[in-house]
Amino acid sequence: MEPGIVEYAPKPVALEAGKTYVWCPCGASDNQPFCDGSHKGSEFVPNVFTAEQSSTVYLCMCKHTANPGLCDGSHSKL
């Protein structure tokens, strides 16, 4: 099953140190780039992570990254 492509560019997101985030891998969430549970019943598993420091990161919106959550430039090959 292929994930739904939300955008062909990453989304900059300001993360807060110590806060837990859940990245959507399926592309179906209405709360992109974060999970809202839309994957239930599918093979997709959300990526749960806690920010180690407050910073801006670029989260994958094409859902084809090899580094779940973070953009690795895969959108440029789609």
Side-chain angles (χ1 to χ4, degrees), residues 24-77:
C24 167
C26 71
S29 173
D30 287 332
N31 189 32
Q32 291 295 331
F34 302 108
C35 178
D36 68 1
S38 295
H39 66 278
K40 289 189 187 332
S42 75
E43 63 190 47
F44 294 103
V45 177
N47 181 37
V48 180
F49 65 96
T50 301
E52 293 180 17
Q53 61 186 11
S54 294
S55 64
T56 297
V57 297
Y58 292 85
L59 297 181
C60 176
M61 296 294 284
C62 77
K63 311 304 177 178
H64 285 77
T65 181
N67 187 9
L70 298 175
C71 176
D72 67 358
S74 292
H75 60 274
S76 64
K77 298 175 188 115

